[in-house]
Amino acid sequence: AQSVTQLDSHVSVSEGTPVLLRCNYSSSYSPSLFWYVQHPNKGLQLLLKYTSAATLVKGINGFEAEFKKSETSFHLTKPSAHMSDAAEYFCVYTGGFKTIFGAGTRLFVKA
Amino acid sequence: NAGVTQTPKFQVLKTGQSMTLQCAQDMNHNSMYWYRQDPGMGLRLIYYSASEGTTDKGEVPNGYNVSRLNKREFSLRLESAAPSQTSVYFCASSLPGQGNQPQHFGDGTRLSIL
């Protein structure tokens, strides 16, 4: 069965420190994977996507993610958090004509 | 460039009332989607439309109907609202591509059913 799991419901970091948001997937298909960000009272905005090209994907606002097939992971990282990064982040899997959203990780950034 | 526009932004209904949520996109996308977002559950697909004239059920279609009016517009109707349908509803659109195309989202409709 296909699934996507975001391993942390909440992550808290200090401004200027690295961000790591973890996502694992399960699939017998070649997946496409996306990270979206949602700010309060807004829709989801695409950060980056993996669709079987380069395994290290760079996105907007300094975010990047690495597709690791052996670990079935697609973790989102950023070297230095900014206050404006505080939001909810969703990992999304598509494969076999199915799209599955992770439950979300809320990122808190402390001054 | 407006992207995906949803109306209304907020609505309060009484149990048993009906209403239609409107969605329009100006990106010439073939595919359109309706999701609901509930705390801790991510987004769940209600209905989608792969192209004008076609609609298909998603994960949670019960209690909803949809109409793909034309290429731009995709509406969601609640015929007899129930408290369990209190949620935030998002419309999205994308290019065709068997799932490897990103979706573009509206800002949502916050619906409360008393």
Side-chain angles (χ1 to χ4, degrees):
Chain A
Q2 302 153 73
S3 66
V4 60
T5 303
Q6 291 184 242
L7 298 171
D8 305 290
S9 59
H10 299 87
V11 170
S12 182
V13 301
S14 296
E15 191 174 22
T17 65
V19 175
L20 170 64
L21 305 182
R22 298 182 294 166
C23 174
N24 285 358
Y25 70 94
S26 174
S27 175
S28 54
Y29 302 93
S30 293
S32 293
L33 293 159
F34 306 81
W35 276 100
Y36 289 85
V37 61
Q38 184 181 31
H39 291 279
N41 299 316
K42 290 292 186 182
L44 279 67
Q45 178 188 10
L46 180 70
L47 281 177
L48 49 80
K49 67 176 183 178
Y50 166 79
T51 55
S52 76
T55 56
L56 183 62
V57 182
K58 293 189 183 299
I60 62 172
N61 300 335
F63 285 94
E64 63 180 38
E66 186 171 8
F67 174 72
K68 292 187 176 181
K69 186 176 181 178
S70 61
E71 299 177 10
T72 61
S73 69
F74 189 57
H75 300 336
L76 182 70
T77 61
K78 182 173 181 178
S80 176
H82 191 273
M83 295 297 290
S84 61
D85 295 327
E88 188 151 23
Y89 292 79
F90 292 93
C91 180
V92 180
Y93 158 94
T94 64
F97 300 100
K98 195 167 185 178
T99 297
I100 303 173
F101 285 75
T105 298
R106 185 163 296 278
L107 176 65
F108 296 95
V109 182
K110 298 175 288 187
Chain B
N1 188 353
V4 178
T5 302
Q6 293 183 235
T7 56
K9 296 187 183 304
F10 303 93
Q11 186 70 48
V12 179
L13 294 177
K14 294 181 179 179
T15 298
Q17 287 186 316
S18 63
M19 88 161 288
T20 300
L21 279 61
Q22 306 287 353
C23 174
Q25 53 91 10
D26 62 3
M27 295 172 284
N28 203 34
H29 286 166
N30 289 71
S31 302
M32 297 186 72
Y33 314 82
W34 275 105
Y35 295 92
R36 61 177 290 171
Q37 184 178 30
D38 300 293
M41 300 185 73
L43 273 70
R44 293 181 293 168
L45 183 65
I46 304 172
Y47 271 93
Y48 68 98
S49 171
S51 62
E52 186 178 353
T54 68
T55 60
D56 288 285
K57 295 179 180 179
E59 182 184 354
V60 289
N62 291 345
Y64 306 95
N65 286 301
V66 291
S67 296
R68 183 72 183 267
L69 304 170
N70 48 54
K71 191 171 186 179
R72 290 187 64 246
E73 299 173 287
F74 188 39
S75 62
L76 178 72
R77 183 162 178 83
L78 287 69
E79 290 291 352
S80 179
S84 61
Q85 294 178 305
T86 293
S87 188
V88 183
Y89 291 85
F90 287 99
C91 177
S93 69
S94 74
L95 293 168
Q98 298 182 0
N100 63 1
Q101 295 292 336
Q103 296 182 24
H104 299 257
F105 288 83
D107 284 342
T109 294
R110 284 147 187 82
L111 183 61
S112 292
I113 301 170
L114 307 177

